[in-house]
Amino acid sequence: MVLSTRVLRLIVLELRQTVTATKEVVLSAGTIGTPHILLHSGIGDAETLESRGIPSLVNLPDVGKNLSDQPALGNMCIVSNETLRDELLVNWERHRTGPLVASSVSHIAWSRIPSNSAIFESVPDPSSGKNTPHYELVIGNGAGLVSTTPGHFISIGNIVVSPTSRGSVSLSSNNPFDQPLIDPAYLTTEFDIFAMREAVQSARRFLAASAWNDYVIRPAGGLENATNDQLLDEYIRKGTFTSAHPVGTAAMSSMNASFGVVDPDLRVKGVSGLRIVDASVMPFVTCGHTQAPVYIIAERAADLIKETWGLQCAVSSVELCDST
């Protein structure tokens, strides 16, 4: 049985409206919003929906499951060079040039855990290959994006870019205007906590280099007390937050797979006339930022939709369209 759903029920400024699509509905509400809408529409795990008082229309147990995000952690060190700071400020005020032009993030680096690391004796490498990173270092002047601590700092944020932890998005009630329940499940696997620990140690090694002598004074913000693995793990778990790269809650799978939410053409399984185009369709998060992959998904979706409905694309000086 395939559910035909081309009808949208909207509430705009307290006015209820029904809109019927002649071809198909494209859902692009994001990794949190998309499963929230699907579940309230009766598309999801039938047993869970019924427990919330929502009639089940299509039993897709994986809706809202498989939430994958890249956990982030901010680290900072106190720096000291009042004379240099004053010189840089004068340069900025007079010429609008120099290091103070920079945003909060001035450098980004990606790195891997060594292949002979003990972690790979118990868990497989989750990255896609030997040149693919496990973690990211985000370097900037100041105390970082999430700190309000006064003073002079250099910060290095850590992000685990190949996480194996999986969370979920579920319903708090059968009221579509209530916020969903979001469980990111950060650092719930052995690999993820190990990778974050390695990322922090990498940041420490970087700032311990002789080039920082007389500039970097000491760690701050809790990092100074993380003197062993147990204390370091406590510091990590206390300070970890989202990198805003969530994906996977309406994950793609092969056409005949019994799991997943959308097929390779981004159409919701068991439903006719409904396609999802956002980061929720990614089965796992890419080992980097998610903006470019979402652009790729959108471009591919545009081609699929045009092909499905026999639409002609515009021909410009930089792009030509053909039947492929």
Side-chain angles (χ1 to χ4, degrees):
M1 177 180 176
V2 176
L3 174 70
S4 178
T5 174
R6 293 179 174 84
V7 178
L8 298 178
R9 292 177 176 85
L10 310 175
I11 298 180
V12 182
L13 299 178
E14 299 184 354
L15 298 177
R16 296 177 181 269
Q17 300 179 348
T18 299
V19 178
T20 302
T22 58
K23 292 182 172 63
E24 64 179 66
V25 173
V26 177
L27 178 56
S28 301
T31 298
I32 306 302
T34 285
H36 187 63
I37 291 173
L38 290 175
L39 292 170
H40 277 292
S41 301
I43 302 173
D45 181 76
E47 184 176 347
T48 303
L49 290 176
E50 291 170 1
S51 71
R52 290 293 187 188
I54 299 174
S56 174
L57 300 180
V58 179
N59 184 27
L60 281 180
D62 288 337
V63 172
K65 306 296 197 303
N66 192 53
L67 174 62
S68 177
D69 192 12
Q70 296 169 333
L73 175 70
N75 312 288
M76 59 186 184
C77 290
I78 297 173
V79 298
S80 177
N81 195 324
E82 297 294 328
T83 301
L84 175 60
R85 185 199 64 180
D86 292 342
E87 292 174 354
L88 295 177
L89 182 58
V90 169
N91 186 47
W92 160 249
E93 291 175 338
R94 291 180 179 178
H95 308 294
R96 293 295 191 265
T97 60
L100 295 186
V101 175
S103 65
S104 57
V105 174
S106 56
H107 295 78
I108 294 178
W110 281 270
S111 188
R112 285 181 56 82
I113 298 169
S115 58
N116 61 352
S117 175
I119 188 63
F120 297 128
E121 296 177 4
S122 57
V123 300
D125 184 351
S127 71
S128 59
K130 63 181 182 179
N131 295 319
T132 305
H134 294 121
Y135 61 85
E136 176 183 352
L137 304 181
V138 182
I139 306 166
N141 294 313
L145 298 177
V146 297
S147 176
T148 57
T149 305
H152 305 292
F153 304 94
I154 185 173
S155 63
I156 299 186
N158 301 136
I159 302 175
V160 177
V161 296
S162 57
T164 58
S165 300
R166 295 294 182 267
S168 64
V169 175
S170 58
L171 299 183
S172 59
S173 74
N174 59 8
N175 184 345
F177 294 101
D178 288 345
Q179 296 296 327
L181 301 175
I182 305 171
D183 177 13
Y186 293 137
L187 308 174
T188 53
T189 64
E190 180 185 2
F191 175 82
D192 287 6
I193 186 66
F194 184 94
M196 185 65 85
R197 194 186 304 133
E198 286 293 301
V200 174
Q201 300 290 29
S202 178
R204 280 174 159 170
R205 291 192 297 270
F206 180 81
L207 292 176
S210 59
W212 302 105
N213 290 349
D214 300 324
Y215 182 69
V216 174
I217 305 303
R218 65 181 182 276
L223 181 60
E224 69 276 20
N225 298 320
T227 54
N228 57 45
D229 282 353
Q230 180 180 350
L231 293 173
L232 179 56
D233 286 355
E234 292 176 3
Y235 164 76
I236 288 170
R237 293 189 184 281
K238 182 179 179 179
T240 292
F241 59 97
T242 178
S243 62
H245 296 158
V247 306
T249 52
M252 181 190 301
S253 63
S254 61
M255 194 72 68
N256 298 318
S258 60
F259 59 92
V261 178
V262 300
D263 66 22
D265 290 336
L266 307 177
R267 295 172 297 198
V268 177
K269 295 188 172 189
V271 177
S272 173
L274 180 60
R275 203 183 305 250
I276 297 176
V277 185
D278 59 35
S280 70
V281 305
M282 297 167 63
F284 51 86
V285 68
T286 53
C287 295
H289 296 194
T290 53
Q291 183 174 357
V294 170
Y295 288 168
I296 295 170
I297 292 170
E299 290 288 347
R300 178 57 180 157
D303 289 341
L304 290 168
I305 293 168
K306 288 182 292 189
E307 181 181 357
T308 298
W309 301 107
L311 303 177
Q312 298 296 320
C313 64
V315 178
S316 69
S317 59
V318 296
E319 179 182 2
L320 298 176
C321 297
D322 55 31
S323 59
T324 62

